[in-house]
Amino acid sequence: MTTLRLATFNVENLFARWRFKEGIDPATANTRGWIVDQTRFEELGVDDKAITGAAVRELRADVLCLQEVENVDTLKHFRAQALGGRAEYPYVAGVDGNDPRLIDVAVLSKVPITRIRSNQHFMDPASPTAALFSRDCLEVDVEVEVGPERTTTVSLFVNHFKSMLGGRAETRAKRERQARKVMELVIDRFGQAPGSSPFVILGDLNDYLATNGDGSSGIDQLVNWDQVENVVARRLPEDDQWTHYFSGGDEYRQLDYLLPSTSLAQAAPDASPEIFRKGMPLRAVKYKGPRFPGVGQDKPKASDHCPVVFDLEVQ
C-alpha cells in the first residue's frame, strides 16, 4: 500500500500574459483566434502568483489538479519559477478546452502520467450548438508504485463546472447536465458499480449542496452518489467545510470537491481532509489562522479558492 497525496486547487487566473478586464466579452476578444489586444486586457502582477506558489509548495501534493490555467506552457513556466522546476513535478497534463478566456484544467504530478483524455467534444443536449463542459472533464491516469515491480493506476476526472454567474437558479441546469455526464463517463469506463475501482472525481464544481433562497444544488446527484465519498465532509464540522469566499454575498461555501471512489475512500478510513487557507485574502475574516506574508485585503492572494488535500491509500 502506498500513500498518494492528492490535491485540487483553483488557482484563479494562472495566466502568463493577460487577464480579462471586467465587462469584456471574451467571445468578441478573440474572434480571429487568440490575438492579444492590449486595450482589452491588463497585465497580471507577479505577487499573487508568488503566494500561489508558496501555497502549492506547502501542500506537498504528489498529484495536483488545477483549474484556471492558461495552457501547459504557462504551467511549466509557473513550475520553473515557483515550484522548483521539472525535478519537483516531472509530469504535466493539460489540453486547451472550451472556455474562450483560456481557463483550462491541468495536472502536475510527481508520479508518471500514463493516459490523458479530453471530453470537451460532448455537446450540450439542451443546446446542440454549445459544448456541454464549460472547460473540460479531463481524464488523467497516474501510475502509483505499490510494491516491488508492482503498480496501480488511479484515474482522475478533473473538472471546472459552469459558474453561478447570472444566478444560481438560472445556471443550475447546466451543472446538473455536467454532473450527470461525469457520472456516465465513470460508468462507461468502470461499469455500473464503479465504486470498487480506483478513481477520483475532483475540481471546482461551482456549486454547494444546501438549498436556500437561491435555489437547490446542481451537483448533489454527483457529490452524494453512492459510488464516491465527499471527503471534505469527513470529520469536519459543516461550518468549517468552506473552500471559497464570495464577498458580494459574504458567503463561505464549499465549491471545491475531492470525491474518491468508495473503495479508495474506505482504504484510508483514518485520513482526514485538509482545506488550506493560508493564501486567502484578509477580507475572508472567518479564517483566523496564519497567512502568508504579503497577503492583502483582496490582493495579493494565492486565490479566491482554497486547495483541498487528501491522502489516499493505494493498494
Side-chain angles (χ1 to χ4, degrees), residues 232-244:
V232 166
R234 180 186 284 192
R235 298 188 187 88
L236 286 180
E238 186 174 347
D239 193 49
D240 197 33
Q241 294 174 17
W242 62 275
T243 67
H244 178 265

Side-chain angles (χ1 to χ4, degrees), residues 139 150 163 202:
E139 294 181 42
R150 290 190 298 123
S163 79
L202 70 173

Side-chain angles (χ1 to χ4, degrees), residues 194-207:
S196 60
S197 300
F199 69 87
V200 186
I201 301 166
L202 70 173
D204 176 4
L205 303 188
N206 260 323
D207 206 344

Side-chain angles (χ1 to χ4, degrees), residues 172-243:
R172 179 179 64 244
K174 181 87 166 186
R175 287 187 296 279
E176 288 176 336
R177 295 191 297 273
Q178 291 171 338
R180 190 158 50 244
K181 187 61 179 181
V182 172
M183 296 166 69
E184 290 174 4
L185 290 170
V186 172
I187 290 171
D188 287 346
R189 179 120 185 242
F190 297 111
Q192 289 297 318
S196 60
S197 300
F199 69 87
V200 186
I201 301 166
L202 70 173
D204 176 4
L205 303 188
N206 260 323
D207 206 344
Y208 47 94
L209 294 180
T211 297
N212 56 18
D214 294 323
S216 59
S217 177
I219 62 169
D220 54 347
Q221 60 181 324
L222 175 59
V223 177
N224 294 325
W225 191 21
D226 63 3
Q227 302 299 307
V228 300
E229 180 184 333
N230 176 19
V231 295
V232 166
R234 180 186 284 192
R235 298 188 187 88
L236 286 180
E238 186 174 347
D239 193 49
D240 197 33
Q241 294 174 17
W242 62 275
T243 67

